[in-house]
Amino acid sequence: MSTRHHHAYVWLGHGSVLTKPGDAHRRPGHAEFRSAQVMPLECADWLLKPVDRILGTFHVPDEGADWYASQLAVHAGLFVGTCAPSPDREDHLRALAAGEDIVGGWWVGGERFLSVNLVACSPHRVRTQYVCPRLSHDHQ
């Protein structure tokens, strides 16, 4: 998997877990980082989580944009009031084709937070030193 692609991640959990107390468990240097089910502070750090956290891998922008829109549709019932996102397919296609991440985070009912992410890989634009989690998993 050396060509540019995007990995898909979703986290839905109680907001108190984001700061349980503090956010050290959401940083790669923390002992709990890899096992913590909560989303990382920086979207690129999803690539450092265990490979089983990847919900999909997309090599084609259309497929990634479709997945992202489908996740918003799946979770549509959770959005409170007017905070519901409106997917902009053209923006998502442009971003994915450029190797950018698509990251969304929303407070939803029940004091929960929903995070939906497509994280660029091979390479990541900011964290070029990160190895694809699928490749690093294959070599363990």
Side-chain angles (χ1 to χ4, degrees):
M1 235 179 255
S2 59
T3 60
R4 182 185 303 162
H5 56 276
H6 287 77
H7 293 299
Y9 302 91
V10 173
W11 181 76
L12 173 63
H14 197 275
S16 64
V17 177
L18 296 173
T19 59
K20 64 156 215 145
D23 58 16
H25 63 296
R26 296 176 58 203
R27 299 175 189 273
H30 192 273
E32 292 179 32
F33 174 78
R34 284 189 47 80
S35 64
Q37 293 301 307
V38 68
M39 65 189 204
L41 280 175
E42 184 178 315
C43 63
D45 292 343
W46 275 113
L47 300 173
L48 302 176
K49 292 282 194 175
V51 72
D52 64 358
R53 296 296 306 273
I54 298 171
L55 299 178
T57 299
F58 304 100
H59 295 272
V60 178
D62 280 327
E63 293 171 356
D66 289 346
W67 177 86
Y68 197 86
S70 75
Q71 290 304 303
L72 296 182
V74 164
H75 294 95
L78 299 176
F79 294 108
V80 179
T82 60
C83 73
S86 58
D88 187 330
R89 183 169 173 73
E90 291 306 313
D91 280 350
H92 291 167
L93 288 172
R94 180 201 50 76
L96 294 171
E100 297 174 7
D101 301 328
I102 298 178
V103 178
W106 305 271
W107 286 99
V108 296
E111 299 180 16
R112 293 175 296 167
F113 192 84
L114 170 65
S115 174
V116 179
N117 308 269
L118 283 169
V119 181
C121 189
S122 294
H124 188 273
R125 288 174 35 142
V126 176
R127 301 291 180 220
T128 57
Q129 73 276 22
Y130 285 5
V131 175
C132 177
R134 294 213 187 271
L135 289 175
S136 62
H137 176 74
D138 292 344
H139 293 103
Q140 290 180 358

